[in-house]
Amino acid sequence: MIVVLKPNVAKERRDQLIEWLEGMGLNIHVSTGQYQTVLGLVGDTSNVDMNLIDSLEIVDSVKQVSEAFKCCNRKFHPEDTVIKVGNVKIGGGNFCMIAGPCSVESEEQIVGVAKAVKEAGANLLRGGAFKPRTSPYDFQGLKGEGIELLKTAREETGLPIVTEIMSVSDLDLFEDVDVLQVGARNMQNFDLLKELGHVGKPILLKRGLANTLKELLMSAEYIMASGNEEVILCERGIRTYSDYLRNTLDLSAVPMLHELSHLPVIVDPSHAIGIARMVPPMAMAATACGADGLMIEVHNDPQHALCDGAQSLRPEEYAELVKKVMAVREVSKC
Amino acid sequence: MIVVLKPNVAKERRDQLIEWLEGMGLNIHVSTGQYQTVLGLVGDTSNVDMNLIDSLEIVDSVKQVSEAFKCCNRKFHPEDTVIKVGNVKIGGGNFCMIAGPCSVESEEQIVGVAKAVKEAGANLLRGGAFKPRTSPYDFQGLKGEGIELLKTAREETGLPIVTEIMSVSDLDLFEDVDVLQVGARNMQNFDLLKELGHVGKPILLKRGLANTLKELLMSAEYIMASGNEEVILCERGIRTYSDYLRNTLDLSAVPMLHELSHLPVIVDPSHAIGIARMVPPMAMAATACGADGLMIEVHNDPQHALCDGAQSLRPEEYAELVKKVMAVREVSKC
Amino acid sequence: MIVVLKPNVAKERRDQLIEWLEGMGLNIHVSTGQYQTVLGLVGDTSNVDMNLIDSLEIVDSVKQVSEAFKCCNRKFHPEDTVIKVGNVKIGGGNFCMIAGPCSVESEEQIVGVAKAVKEAGANLLRGGAFKPRTSPYDFQGLKGEGIELLKTAREETGLPIVTEIMSVSDLDLFEDVDVLQVGARNMQNFDLLKELGHVGKPILLKRGLANTLKELLMSAEYIMASGNEEVILCERGIRTYSDYLRNTLDLSAVPMLHELSHLPVIVDPSHAIGIARMVPPMAMAATACGADGLMIEVHNDPQHALCDGAQSLRPEEYAELVKKVMAVREVSKC
Amino acid sequence: MIVVLKPNVAKERRDQLIEWLEGMGLNIHVSTGQYQTVLGLVGDTSNVDMNLIDSLEIVDSVKQVSEAFKCCNRKFHPEDTVIKVGNVKIGGGNFCMIAGPCSVESEEQIVGVAKAVKEAGANLLRGGAFKPRTSPYDFQGLKGEGIELLKTAREETGLPIVTEIMSVSDLDLFEDVDVLQVGARNMQNFDLLKELGHVGKPILLKRGLANTLKELLMSAEYIMASGNEEVILCERGIRTYSDYLRNTLDLSAVPMLHELSHLPVIVDPSHAIGIARMVPPMAMAATACGADGLMIEVHNDPQHALCDGAQSLRPEEYAELVKKVMAVREVSKC
């Protein structure tokens, strides 16, 4: 940590600060510039309140030098993490195609979509059983029954299943789920994250609505520090002042997260965009900038979907997209 | 709901849409303009997926007419809600002063601060026992022990206590707490909100980091629709591209929420600003635009606080502020 | 325009409003729903102040039906606009590669870079002569001299030149420039836009730092309504709460602008990202989602560049990128 | 400037960087921590490209130590600036009340409003002659004629006049205007700012739509560094994801700008909020947190205003507000 003092600070007050910092077990390197003095804090600064120091009258600014995240930091783990779900590998040069409806609605629907997306090239099935909805009056999902229907679809197709968990108290119902998803609204539900650190299954962690990349990585850190190292990061659009589109898909997060962390990074263009016909170009763009996979909403009857039909592709549109995505991936790999 | 069609839509396709909508039990008013046709949907549109209709090729745009929130809507409940906590009234012309440290640290600390803020004029005591922290490596609060210490402080001072709940599974520990707080990061933790709808205690609901006013009201609606009508709304700063301050305190939320809803609206300037010396002017501003109360961090020893010391006032600064706030309130009441 | 009245509005007040609107020469269609009444305004509503009506006590909300932009609207011009600059075509299935340094610094530099980028596959040369800088103490460009050097580079290579104009009063100096660029900070400098409507040259219009797509199109409309239909739209990143990157490149703007408008849409990943090693993945992503071209900073000696060296590719890196971009374009075309 | 190197950088590469920096005439202080090395750059760093250094492979991060703004920096000018316009003083404990219509429409209108606001307590008259409008099809102001009408209103009332300048080429028309306003969209029109540095009149500089406080101060710096030290800063709302209000009024900018700079800071709540009935609470809030004045839209006939009628107060509402504002100011002064 580096502390920049204001110009013309009285030596006495400066020394007081240094003494206080040394009292915390730190070594202080003093560097006196033409106008300002800079203190370098060496040692374990994890208990030092950066904001507090920043608020002291004699301090101009404070800068953290060491990284806040460790388990997910590429500096300490240069190799890509590869996560295995059944026969599917995610990360480290492997590309995953997760597809399925926003909500599980019926056996016929989920099995039908599962077969269609498998046929089209998907290797994981998604479907919402527990649905986080802004309004308490909107359809909240089939819950436990939805998970059972997902398992049926898995039996029929062999596709591993991905579905969202919203609460620690539902954990028992997810025992036989392959990948547990944490939704954007729960990205900083720290109690849930800690609990998922004790689950021996991959966690698909979506970036929150207005969270920074560092916050996303810190949330991955919660899961990993609790013992579960299988975290898949997912960019799904952030909130801005966008007028025509629901959210702003932040694709530059893909190469940046790859630089900062060894975890796989996938992209969900469907939620970010909210308009089915814009999903294919954004899926191709995500692939071109190096995403390790795509999560895409597919529904066999979007006009009658109980949730987010507007952003769902039809199976034949998805099949078309998979071909293009594969072609883009082929030429954009380094 | 109003559906605006694109210009020059074939009559056949228009009629198809109308038929489909009528199939949902709606009456359709057709209004043919010079360039465009507008459909007015009358009846129960709660099952109609606005985004889906918006995505149809022949549709230009869709507009919701009726309000999404009902329980907290001033249109349906013109009178201000007044919430009673012990002898303290919140809302409807009553002003509450909630004060205390970010975290409960020890009996000495919390009792000391409680006495000091009571002396200064506070009528509720706040203190964090469960702390949501971005980093898993930061101090997470004294948890159950912290709540016990808050109760001790209540015994000593008579001040009712306000503290944050992060998880449904901790609910038992909060049985004897007076007001349960939902933090910004959990504003859309819908499972928690629903559960708090069954608790017979006031809920202080903080606005999420980047949530709109409508989303805040929809989250209040979750609690109220589950049976608990005692919700206090709290503005605490939103995320923008602010450079010198942590968040942007959105004070215009105060009069706007008062217009939209009958619930009390309080302001927490400490978290939004993050710098103690900026808290007093923003507290006065919040009072001047009609807030029903203030939640302010006070610590007897900010330099050694385990959390957010930088934004805490000292008791004597708080006492000074209370006087000014009262004077501003006196002259700005309508 | 559609005006939704509040529930239970007195007939008298409703009729008053209708009369007032009719007084503006409009025909009013009244549609009475179960709870609310909706007025459809037919005729020339361009003089109607939507905000004013929205603020009337009896009005719930107002909705614009007809589009605010006309000249650049795809509804009225379904065919793609193709802009010709010398032998280069932009838009309508043609792809342009604009490259060059942030600032023109010397004849040696600009001619050297021009030759290198031409060799690599660029078909237009960019270079800043007038530089908008946040600080008055930063290098402001070589101005007129810079433009002369760009012309020299054009002579040597045959590449048409693109450079930014910041003020109407400099217009004479740009007489022999091929494409005039309007920077992000001037996107709503309406006096400049109007003046550029009288210039018989293509205008490259960059999206402002925090402007919506509609505002970008309205600014294009300023130029086009003044007589110049050759406008190239350019996405260059928007301001959010991004932590590791300078701006957030909003690639979903590409397909959305293509749907809304017939104008060509190019992307400048260099400014948005600010880190040279992140430029190639984002350039490929922009190509994959359908951009009509790329504007990329290339400098022969980034470490000694007078401006934005950090985001400049070296010529050999650019040559490498062009190959990949061409491959991505090949497979992602519909 | 401080440069933090990555861990385990080879000594050779580190020395290369140091040598290069010394080649720019700087002295380098090397501070070797447990994990990382920190370089302190002492001397004139104004020509050092911070972004470039940040992008070097061996560099972890870079931090600016000295302030970018000087003329407007309170560190170098601790005393408040007081600006005199006729008999009116702005800043340094003086409070100014600027009022008038969004647009000047006719002699009757502007003289009428001027008399009314003077009567109510205003001490400066505002009125738009040149209007920046998002759409080229909207009313653009009476231009030169509007300025003449403002002068007439000044003659009738004695109130000095404030009006917006959009272009350097109109400067002659403003010769007899008392205060020149730079609108939000032109905050970074650097050519205009530089020119206003040569004008011997106070400049009212509005914060841009999505600009940071530092950028606002850097724009003030453009004017001041060119020779004009009379700059009034104005907060007018920033762009966020606000749903019910046009912009988010950032009142915490008031105390923060006062800490950073010695310039007066006023607030324009009318544009930020866009709804007349919300203007009074926000005007009082601005006063309570220390603003040096208010700029408020007043129109004698808001329903027929040619521009922004929705946000204008009627003269009698303004008179009511002035009383409350004065009372709030009285009690909130330190």
Side-chain angles (χ1 to χ4, degrees):
Chain A
M1 198 180 282
I2 287 169
V3 177
V4 182
L5 302 185
K6 289 195 177 145
N8 307 319
V9 163
K11 194 181 168 306
E12 193 175 56
R13 301 198 60 189
R14 195 194 71 173
D15 292 350
Q16 230 172 354
L17 174 60
I18 291 173
E19 203 175 300
W20 179 63
L21 292 167
E22 287 174 342
M24 293 180 181
L26 301 168
N27 290 318
I28 313 300
H29 278 95
V30 182
S31 163
T32 310
Q34 201 168 350
Y35 302 110
Q36 290 186 296
T37 297
V38 175
L39 309 181
L41 280 54
V42 181
D44 177 10
T45 58
S46 56
N47 291 318
V48 180
D49 181 342
M50 201 168 147
N51 292 321
L52 173 64
I53 296 179
D54 204 15
S55 75
L56 298 176
E57 228 179 284
I58 65 168
V59 170
D60 196 89
S61 62
V62 179
K63 186 163 173 53
Q64 192 95 37
V65 173
S66 59
E67 300 289 341
F69 43 94
K70 296 171 205 312
C71 302
C72 64
N73 197 326
R74 193 179 281 278
K75 280 189 196 160
F76 310 128
H77 307 72
E79 296 293 305
D80 283 350
T81 283
V82 178
I83 292 172
K84 281 174 208 141
V85 186
N87 296 322
V88 183
K89 289 181 187 171
I90 305 173
N94 303 286
F95 196 75
C96 72
M97 293 290 292
I98 308 174
C102 179
S103 290
V104 179
E105 296 169 23
S106 67
E107 182 172 331
E108 193 195 341
Q109 174 239 21
I110 190 68
V111 173
V113 174
K115 286 180 175 169
V117 299
K118 187 185 180 182
E119 173 79 20
N123 46 16
L124 285 133
L125 174 67
R126 61 150 291 165
F130 290 83
K131 299 298 309 170
R133 304 299 299 267
T134 304
S135 167
Y137 308 119
D138 286 347
F139 174 59
Q140 311 266 324
L142 293 183
K143 303 183 181 175
E145 189 195 333
I147 293 183
E148 291 309 309
L149 296 178
L150 281 168
K151 289 188 209 166
T152 306
R154 178 176 59 191
E155 264 168 52
E156 298 272 336
T157 58
L159 293 178
I161 54 179
V162 184
T163 195
E164 178 167 352
I165 182 163
M166 287 174 63
S167 175
V168 169
S169 56
D170 298 325
L171 207 46
D172 288 351
L173 295 168
F174 288 75
E175 203 162 326
D176 199 23
V177 166
D178 300 293
V179 178
L180 277 62
Q181 176 181 319
V182 176
R185 291 180 184 80
N186 277 316
M187 194 200 89
Q188 294 194 314
N189 181 340
F190 300 122
D191 277 58
L192 179 60
L193 299 178
K194 279 187 228 172
E195 209 59 48
L196 295 177
H198 305 307
V199 169
K201 289 166 191 301
I203 307 299
L204 193 162
L205 178 65
K206 288 198 159 184
R207 180 177 179 186
L209 199 61
N211 286 108
T212 61
L213 299 186
K214 185 177 165 191
E215 287 167 345
L216 172 59
L217 291 170
M218 291 310 297
S219 287
E221 195 77 11
Y222 259 98
I223 300 169
M224 298 173 85
S226 300
N228 184 352
E229 303 220 326
E230 300 194 311
V231 179
I232 303 158
L233 304 172
C234 180
E235 161 63 27
R236 45 75 73 203
I238 55 171
R239 176 161 279 175
T240 65
Y241 31 79
S242 173
D243 50 353
Y244 287 104
L245 295 164
R246 188 189 297 169
N247 292 128
T248 298
L249 190 66
D250 177 14
L251 287 183
S252 53
V254 176
M256 196 71 227
L257 286 171
H258 274 148
E259 177 160 313
L260 294 167
S261 173
H262 51 90
L263 296 175
V265 181
I266 69 167
V267 172
D268 172 352
S270 304
H271 269 90
I273 301 299
I275 302 176
R277 63 186 182 276
M278 302 279 161
V279 168
M282 299 320 291
M284 287 192 283
T287 307
C289 66
D292 296 304
L294 294 169
M295 186 169 199
I296 287 176
E297 278 188 27
V298 180
H299 197 287
N300 48 2
D301 185 9
Q303 294 207 4
H304 292 93
L306 291 178
C307 152
D308 280 339
Q311 69 203 26
S312 292
L313 298 186
R314 286 194 186 74
E316 58 274 21
E317 294 166 332
Y318 179 67
E320 197 58 40
L321 173 59
V322 170
K323 280 182 216 150
K324 284 189 178 173
V325 161
M326 290 307 160
V328 169
R329 180 153 172 83
E330 193 54 39
V331 300
S332 58
K333 270 192 294 200
C334 5
Chain B
M1 199 180 281
I2 286 168
V3 178
V4 182
L5 302 185
K6 288 195 177 147
N8 307 321
V9 163
K11 194 181 168 308
E12 193 176 57
R13 302 199 59 192
R14 195 194 69 173
D15 290 350
Q16 229 173 355
L17 174 61
I18 292 174
E19 204 175 298
W20 179 63
L21 292 168
E22 285 175 342
M24 293 180 182
L26 301 168
N27 290 317
I28 313 301
H29 277 94
V30 182
S31 162
T32 311
Q34 201 169 350
Y35 302 109
Q36 290 187 295
T37 297
V38 175
L39 309 181
L41 281 54
V42 181
D44 176 11
T45 58
S46 57
N47 291 318
V48 180
D49 182 342
M50 202 168 145
N51 291 321
L52 173 63
I53 296 179
D54 204 16
S55 75
L56 297 176
E57 228 178 284
I58 64 168
V59 170
D60 196 88
S61 62
V62 179
K63 186 165 173 53
Q64 191 97 38
V65 173
S66 60
E67 300 289 340
F69 43 94
K70 296 171 206 312
C71 302
C72 63
N73 197 326
R74 194 179 281 277
K75 280 189 195 161
F76 309 128
H77 307 70
E79 295 294 304
D80 282 351
T81 283
V82 179
I83 292 172
K84 281 174 207 140
V85 186
N87 297 321
V88 183
K89 289 182 187 171
I90 305 173
N94 302 286
F95 195 76
C96 72
M97 293 290 293
I98 308 174
C102 179
S103 291
V104 179
E105 296 169 21
S106 67
E107 181 173 330
E108 193 194 341
Q109 174 240 21
I110 191 68
V111 172
V113 174
K115 286 180 176 170
V117 299
K118 187 186 180 181
E119 173 80 18
N123 46 16
L124 285 132
L125 174 67
R126 61 151 290 164
F130 290 83
K131 299 300 307 169
R133 304 298 300 267
T134 304
S135 166
Y137 309 119
D138 286 347
F139 174 59
Q140 311 265 325
L142 293 183
K143 302 182 181 174
E145 190 195 333
I147 292 183
E148 292 309 310
L149 297 177
L150 281 168
K151 289 188 209 166
T152 306
R154 179 176 57 189
E155 264 168 52
E156 298 272 336
T157 59
L159 293 179
I161 54 179
V162 184
T163 195
E164 178 167 352
I165 182 163
M166 287 173 64
S167 174
V168 170
S169 55
D170 298 326
L171 207 47
D172 288 351
L173 296 167
F174 288 74
E175 202 163 328
D176 199 22
V177 165
D178 300 293
V179 178
L180 276 63
Q181 176 181 318
V182 176
R185 292 179 185 79
N186 277 316
M187 194 201 88
Q188 294 194 314
N189 180 340
F190 300 123
D191 278 57
L192 179 60
L193 300 178
K194 278 187 228 173
E195 209 58 50
L196 295 177
H198 304 307
V199 169
K201 289 168 192 298
I203 308 300
L204 194 162
L205 178 65
K206 288 198 159 183
R207 180 178 179 184
L209 199 60
N211 286 108
T212 61
L213 299 187
K214 185 177 165 191
E215 287 167 344
L216 172 58
L217 291 170
M218 291 311 296
S219 286
E221 195 78 10
Y222 258 98
I223 300 169
M224 297 172 87
S226 301
N228 183 352
E229 303 220 324
E230 300 194 311
V231 179
I232 303 158
L233 304 172
C234 180
E235 161 64 27
R236 46 73 74 202
I238 55 170
R239 175 161 280 174
T240 65
Y241 31 78
S242 173
D243 53 352
Y244 287 103
L245 295 164
R246 189 190 298 169
N247 291 129
T248 298
L249 190 67
D250 176 14
L251 287 183
S252 53
V254 176
M256 197 71 226
L257 286 171
H258 274 147
E259 177 160 313
L260 294 167
S261 174
H262 51 91
L263 296 174
V265 181
I266 69 167
V267 172
D268 172 353
S270 305
H271 270 90
I273 301 300
I275 302 175
R277 64 186 180 274
M278 302 278 162
V279 168
M282 299 321 291
M284 288 192 282
T287 307
C289 66
D292 295 304
L294 294 168
M295 187 170 198
I296 287 176
E297 278 188 26
V298 180
H299 197 287
N300 48 1
D301 184 9
Q303 294 208 4
H304 293 94
L306 291 178
C307 153
D308 280 338
Q311 68 203 28
S312 293
L313 299 185
R314 286 193 187 76
E316 56 275 21
E317 294 166 332
Y318 179 68
E320 197 59 40
L321 172 59
V322 171
K323 280 181 217 149
K324 283 189 178 175
V325 161
M326 289 308 159
V328 168
R329 179 153 172 84
E330 193 55 38
V331 300
S332 57
K333 270 192 294 199
C334 3
Chain C
M1 199 178 283
I2 286 168
V3 178
V4 182
L5 302 186
K6 288 196 178 146
N8 307 319
V9 162
K11 194 181 168 308
E12 193 175 56
R13 303 200 59 192
R14 196 193 72 173
D15 290 350
Q16 231 174 352
L17 174 61
I18 292 174
E19 204 176 297
W20 178 63
L21 292 168
E22 285 175 343
M24 293 180 180
L26 300 169
N27 290 318
I28 312 302
H29 278 93
V30 182
S31 161
T32 310
Q34 199 171 348
Y35 303 108
Q36 292 187 296
T37 296
V38 176
L39 310 181
L41 280 54
V42 181
D44 178 10
T45 59
S46 57
N47 291 320
V48 179
D49 182 340
M50 200 167 146
N51 292 322
L52 173 62
I53 296 180
D54 203 15
S55 75
L56 297 176
E57 228 177 285
I58 64 167
V59 170
D60 195 89
S61 62
V62 179
K63 185 162 174 55
Q64 191 96 38
V65 173
S66 59
E67 300 288 341
F69 44 93
K70 297 172 205 312
C71 302
C72 63
N73 197 326
R74 193 178 280 278
K75 281 190 196 162
F76 309 128
H77 306 73
E79 295 294 304
D80 282 351
T81 284
V82 179
I83 292 172
K84 281 175 208 140
V85 185
N87 296 323
V88 183
K89 289 181 186 170
I90 305 174
N94 303 286
F95 196 76
C96 72
M97 292 289 294
I98 309 174
C102 179
S103 291
V104 179
E105 295 168 22
S106 68
E107 181 172 331
E108 194 194 341
Q109 173 239 23
I110 190 66
V111 172
V113 174
K115 286 180 176 168
V117 299
K118 186 185 181 183
E119 174 78 18
N123 47 16
L124 285 132
L125 175 67
R126 60 151 289 165
F130 291 83
K131 299 300 307 170
R133 304 299 299 267
T134 304
S135 166
Y137 308 118
D138 286 346
F139 174 60
Q140 312 266 324
L142 293 182
K143 301 179 181 176
E145 190 195 333
I147 292 181
E148 291 309 310
L149 296 178
L150 280 168
K151 290 188 207 165
T152 307
R154 178 175 58 190
E155 264 168 51
E156 298 274 336
T157 59
L159 293 179
I161 54 180
V162 184
T163 195
E164 177 166 353
I165 182 163
M166 286 174 63
S167 175
V168 170
S169 56
D170 299 325
L171 208 46
D172 288 351
L173 295 169
F174 287 75
E175 203 163 329
D176 200 22
V177 166
D178 301 291
V179 178
L180 276 63
Q181 176 181 319
V182 176
R185 291 178 185 79
N186 277 318
M187 193 201 90
Q188 294 195 314
N189 181 340
F190 300 121
D191 278 57
L192 179 59
L193 299 178
K194 280 187 227 173
E195 209 58 50
L196 296 178
H198 305 305
V199 169
K201 287 168 193 299
I203 307 300
L204 193 161
L205 178 64
K206 287 199 161 185
R207 180 178 179 184
L209 198 60
N211 287 108
T212 61
L213 300 186
K214 185 176 165 191
E215 286 167 346
L216 172 59
L217 291 170
M218 292 310 298
S219 287
E221 195 79 11
Y222 258 99
I223 300 169
M224 297 174 86
S226 300
N228 183 353
E229 304 220 325
E230 300 195 311
V231 179
I232 302 159
L233 304 172
C234 180
E235 161 63 28
R236 45 75 73 204
I238 57 171
R239 175 161 282 174
T240 64
Y241 31 78
S242 173
D243 50 352
Y244 287 102
L245 295 163
R246 189 190 296 169
N247 292 129
T248 298
L249 190 67
D250 177 14
L251 288 183
S252 52
V254 175
M256 197 73 228
L257 286 171
H258 274 147
E259 177 160 312
L260 294 167
S261 173
H262 51 90
L263 295 174
V265 181
I266 69 168
V267 172
D268 172 353
S270 305
H271 269 89
I273 301 298
I275 302 175
R277 65 186 180 275
M278 302 277 161
V279 168
M282 299 320 293
M284 288 193 281
T287 307
C289 65
D292 295 305
L294 294 168
M295 186 170 200
I296 287 175
E297 279 188 27
V298 181
H299 197 286
N300 49 0
D301 185 8
Q303 295 209 2
H304 292 92
L306 291 179
C307 152
D308 281 337
Q311 69 204 27
S312 293
L313 299 185
R314 287 194 185 74
E316 58 274 21
E317 293 166 332
Y318 180 67
E320 197 59 38
L321 173 59
V322 171
K323 280 181 217 151
K324 283 190 179 174
V325 160
M326 289 308 160
V328 169
R329 180 155 172 82
E330 193 55 37
V331 300
S332 57
K333 270 193 293 201
C334 3
Chain D
M1 199 178 283
I2 287 168
V3 178
V4 181
L5 302 186
K6 288 196 178 146
N8 308 320
V9 163
K11 194 181 168 308
E12 194 174 55
R13 302 199 59 192
R14 195 193 71 173
D15 291 350
Q16 230 172 352
L17 173 61
I18 292 174
E19 204 175 298
W20 179 62
L21 292 168
E22 286 175 342
M24 293 179 181
L26 300 168
N27 290 318
I28 312 301
H29 277 94
V30 182
S31 163
T32 310
Q34 200 170 347
Y35 302 108
Q36 292 187 296
T37 297
V38 175
L39 309 181
L41 280 55
V42 181
D44 177 11
T45 58
S46 57
N47 291 320
V48 179
D49 182 341
M50 202 167 144
N51 291 322
L52 173 63
I53 295 179
D54 203 15
S55 75
L56 297 176
E57 227 178 285
I58 64 167
V59 170
D60 194 90
S61 62
V62 179
K63 184 162 175 54
Q64 192 96 38
V65 173
S66 60
E67 300 289 340
F69 44 94
K70 298 172 204 313
C71 303
C72 64
N73 198 326
R74 192 178 282 277
K75 280 189 195 161
F76 309 128
H77 307 74
E79 295 294 304
D80 283 350
T81 283
V82 179
I83 292 171
K84 282 176 206 138
V85 185
N87 296 323
V88 183
K89 289 181 186 171
I90 304 174
N94 303 287
F95 196 76
C96 73
M97 292 290 294
I98 309 174
C102 178
S103 291
V104 179
E105 295 168 22
S106 68
E107 182 172 331
E108 193 194 342
Q109 173 239 23
I110 191 67
V111 173
V113 174
K115 286 180 176 169
V117 299
K118 187 185 180 183
E119 173 79 17
N123 47 17
L124 286 133
L125 174 67
R126 59 151 290 165
F130 291 83
K131 298 299 308 169
R133 304 299 299 266
T134 305
S135 167
Y137 309 118
D138 286 346
F139 175 60
Q140 311 265 325
L142 294 181
K143 301 180 181 176
E145 189 195 334
I147 293 182
E148 292 309 310
L149 296 177
L150 280 168
K151 290 189 207 164
T152 307
R154 179 175 58 191
E155 264 168 52
E156 298 274 336
T157 59
L159 293 179
I161 54 179
V162 184
T163 194
E164 178 166 352
I165 182 163
M166 287 174 61
S167 175
V168 170
S169 56
D170 298 325
L171 209 46
D172 288 351
L173 296 168
F174 287 74
E175 202 163 328
D176 200 22
V177 166
D178 301 292
V179 178
L180 277 63
Q181 176 181 318
V182 176
R185 292 179 185 79
N186 277 317
M187 193 201 90
Q188 293 195 315
N189 180 339
F190 300 122
D191 278 57
L192 178 61
L193 299 178
K194 279 187 225 171
E195 208 59 49
L196 296 178
H198 305 305
V199 169
K201 288 169 193 300
I203 308 299
L204 193 161
L205 178 65
K206 287 199 161 184
R207 180 178 179 184
L209 198 60
N211 286 108
T212 61
L213 299 186
K214 185 177 165 189
E215 287 168 345
L216 172 60
L217 291 171
M218 291 310 297
S219 286
E221 195 79 11
Y222 259 98
I223 300 169
M224 297 173 86
S226 300
N228 184 354
E229 305 220 325
E230 298 194 312
V231 179
I232 303 158
L233 305 172
C234 181
E235 161 63 28
R236 45 75 73 203
I238 56 172
R239 175 161 281 175
T240 64
Y241 31 79
S242 173
D243 51 352
Y244 287 102
L245 296 163
R246 189 190 297 168
N247 292 128
T248 297
L249 190 67
D250 177 14
L251 287 183
S252 52
V254 175
M256 196 72 226
L257 286 171
H258 274 146
E259 177 159 313
L260 294 167
S261 174
H262 51 89
L263 295 174
V265 181
I266 68 168
V267 172
D268 172 352
S270 304
H271 269 90
I273 301 297
I275 302 176
R277 64 185 180 276
M278 302 277 162
V279 168
M282 299 320 293
M284 288 191 281
T287 307
C289 66
D292 295 305
L294 294 168
M295 185 169 201
I296 287 175
E297 279 188 26
V298 181
H299 198 286
N300 48 1
D301 184 9
Q303 295 209 2
H304 292 92
L306 290 178
C307 151
D308 280 337
Q311 69 202 28
S312 293
L313 298 186
R314 287 194 186 76
E316 58 274 22
E317 293 166 331
Y318 180 67
E320 197 59 39
L321 173 59
V322 171
K323 280 181 217 151
K324 284 190 179 174
V325 160
M326 288 310 161
V328 169
R329 181 157 171 81
E330 193 55 37
V331 299
S332 58
K333 271 192 295 202
C334 4

